Amino acid sequence: MVKVLFVCLGNICRSPMAEAMFRDAVKREGLEGEIMVDSAGTGDWHIGQPPHQGTANILKTNSIEFEGIKARQIQPKDLQEFDYIIAMDSDNKKNIAKLQSDFSKASVEVLLDYVPHIKDKNVPDPYYTGNFQEVFDLLKQGCEKLLQHIKHEHVLE
């Protein structure tokens, strides 16, 4: 089982949106038994809360299920349990790196690093910008490329 964890700041906007979108793509590819998806935040402000209303709205508009997603904070053990930890921006990646130890096995990357033609690799935080559509569009590209990468790396069809 390939395990993927999406991480943003509070785990109510970007990472739960990516989790839901990636899970939807995995399901469409028939890979639910091969790939497990979760999300977390580097901060603890929203633990236990559902996705932000803006995230919920755009996922509903695009018929993407997100039921059961609740905010949680990333833990050091996540770096041992997940294969891919995918940060939404470089600050998230730096905060994740602080949790790394000799026992960490996860590859920690920024999602948009998988999309070569996009120059700014940071997914903007719609909690501050309010632009959930822009984030959705960026995550869609990133999730598609990440899934292609994982399918190739792990020879999944």
Side-chain angles (χ1 to χ4, degrees):
M1 177 77 68
V2 178
K3 296 180 179 180
V4 180
L5 180 67
F6 292 98
V7 179
C8 68
L9 186 60
N11 194 215
I12 59 167
C13 294
R14 296 172 291 173
S15 57
M17 188 185 300
E19 175 188 352
M21 293 171 75
F22 198 75
R23 186 176 288 144
D24 184 68
V26 165
K27 185 176 181 181
R28 280 186 278 114
E29 293 279 332
L31 296 171
E32 306 101 302
E34 306 288 334
I35 300 173
M36 189 275 277
V37 188
D38 196 3
S39 65
T42 58
D44 63 358
W45 314 281
H46 303 290
I47 292 173
Q49 293 180 13
H52 184 283
Q53 192 58 52
T55 292
N57 290 343
I58 199 146
L59 291 172
K60 285 178 190 171
T61 298
N62 288 278
S63 302
I64 298 173
E65 294 180 27
F66 60 94
E67 187 176 323
I69 295 177
K70 299 275 187 227
R72 72 176 186 88
Q73 187 174 22
I74 189 170
Q75 301 296 315
K77 69 178 183 170
D78 291 325
L79 284 95
Q80 297 168 27
E81 295 176 3
F82 284 87
D83 301 294
Y84 297 88
I85 298 186
I86 307 298
M88 295 295 113
D89 62 39
S90 58
D91 286 339
N92 301 148
K93 185 176 179 181
K94 287 176 195 166
N95 288 326
I96 295 164
K98 293 175 187 173
L99 300 175
Q100 287 184 305
S101 72
D102 293 341
F103 303 105
S104 300
K105 74 168 190 172
S107 171
V108 181
E109 306 294 337
V110 174
L111 179 64
L112 294 182
D113 283 345
Y114 290 95
V115 189
H117 73 273
I118 294 179
K119 291 194 185 344
D120 184 356
K121 300 301 182 180
N122 296 314
V123 176
D125 192 341
Y127 186 84
Y128 301 106
T129 68
N131 196 339
F132 288 87
Q133 184 63 54
E134 175 189 22
V135 170
F136 182 88
D137 294 342
L138 289 170
L139 294 181
K140 183 173 183 180
Q141 293 178 71
C143 286
E144 287 172 2
K145 294 291 187 184
L146 174 61
L147 184 55
Q148 288 174 7
H149 173 79
I150 290 172
K151 285 172 60 177
H152 177 76
E153 283 287 307
H154 298 273
V155 195
L156 301 175
E157 290 302 324

